[in-house]
Amino acid sequence: MEVALWVVLILMLGGALVFWRWGSRSRRATELADARAEAQRWYERLGGQLMNLHGDAPAVRQALADAGERYNAAGSQLEQASTPHQFALARETALEGLAYIRAARTALGIDPGPDLPPLAAARGAGMLTKEREVNVQGQTYRAGPQPGNQTPYYYPGGNWQGRPVPAGWYSTPWWKTALGTGAGVLGGILIADALFSPAFADPGYGSEAGYQEGSNDGQDQGGDYGDQGQDQGDQGQDYGDQGQDLAGQGDYAASQGDYGGGDFGGDFGGGDFGGGDFGGGDFGGGGDW
């Protein structure tokens, strides 16, 4: 009797294990199919837009060229993808290409079309809201929210050398020096520092979009806590200890301010997508620049 009971239990456990494995494989197959279909959908939409758009203006030609590069990259990723994550990367590349399509339509003076899902690499970078012009090492660099003959290069936003680069139009694709080394990268850093200085004081330029302004806020807060700590210290040892703690918090706020509240880094860098110009950034939502 006991032997028969054990046999029944073993058979039941074996059946449950087989059912669990079957269910797990079924879920993985469904997830893979869904990821493939989602990536394919955006890829085909990008291809259709590329076929229907044409223009002679420099801003239009450049945006369409960048969109074409993303289309080719997404197609290559789709051919090689075999996991949901790889299909998600192909989807992101196709979406980046569609961001360039929207830029080309804007440069053509037509409706850019419906909004796209947010790009992972552009989170926290924000966007330009006013014209900027700086001189770096004897060369003039311009940037702004609208295309023009002097700003024909669009970028949908991202992270370069640890710096958030807002979406907008630029006079030259200086960020591509990230692919080089030495003086090229140093020059790009100088350009980024000049273009995105808080001196421009754009509406919406906040802690999540501007690392330098965040630093200033943190230092101010740190000073306030430090002063409070000194005042409390005059009232006795207990309050003095509290003042030191508050001053320490001010130091922490200052250090946090160096990053402007941004959440740099992440898994979805443009480089990972095989078509982005930047190392990815899994940013938190950014303000306007």
Side-chain angles (χ1 to χ4, degrees), residues 83-239:
T83 67
H85 177 68
Q86 290 172 338
F87 281 114
L89 296 180
R91 170 188 178 274
E92 183 76 7
T93 303
L95 286 175
E96 189 175 341
L98 285 167
Y100 283 105
I101 289 292
R102 284 175 56 85
R105 294 175 66 91
T106 299
L108 283 168
I110 61 179
D111 185 357
D115 291 336
L116 299 171
L119 292 173
R123 291 173 187 164
M127 62 181 62
L128 293 171
T129 59
K130 64 183 295 185
E131 301 290 335
R132 299 171 179 230
E133 180 176 323
V134 297
N135 188 283
V136 178
Q137 296 180 332
Q139 186 171 350
T140 300
Y141 297 89
R142 298 177 177 86
Q146 297 297 327
N149 291 333
Q150 294 182 327
T151 52
Y153 294 93
Y154 179 76
Y155 188 69
N159 183 43
W160 183 83
Q161 297 289 313
R163 290 163 167 77
V165 178
W169 295 84
Y170 296 84
S171 59
T172 182
W174 51 266
W175 52 84
K176 291 186 178 180
T177 57
L179 302 177
T181 57
V185 172
L186 177 60
I189 291 174
L190 295 176
I191 296 168
D193 286 344
L195 278 174
F196 310 133
S197 167
F200 285 96
D202 282 7
Y205 180 96
S207 61
E208 293 184 358
Y211 57 90
Q212 184 61 51
E213 185 167 296
S215 174
N216 294 337
D217 292 343
Q219 291 173 1
D220 292 342
Q221 185 179 3
D224 293 341
Y225 279 129
D227 292 340
Q228 181 180 355
Q230 292 177 2
D231 293 340
Q232 297 290 343
D234 293 338
Q235 300 180 24
Q237 184 62 38
D238 292 339
Y239 285 103

Side-chain angles (χ1 to χ4, degrees), residues 241-269:
D241 292 340
Q242 179 184 356
Q244 292 174 2
D245 292 340
L246 291 171
Q249 294 176 19
D251 293 337
Y252 175 78
S255 66
Q256 289 295 92
D258 290 341
Y259 295 93
D263 185 11
F264 302 145
D267 296 332
F268 292 93

Side-chain angles (χ1 to χ4, degrees), residues 63-85:
L64 289 177
D66 288 332
E69 290 179 0
R70 303 312 187 273
Y71 178 75
N72 293 334
S76 177
Q77 289 174 315
L78 280 171
E79 291 179 357
Q80 301 176 31
S82 59
T83 67
H85 177 68

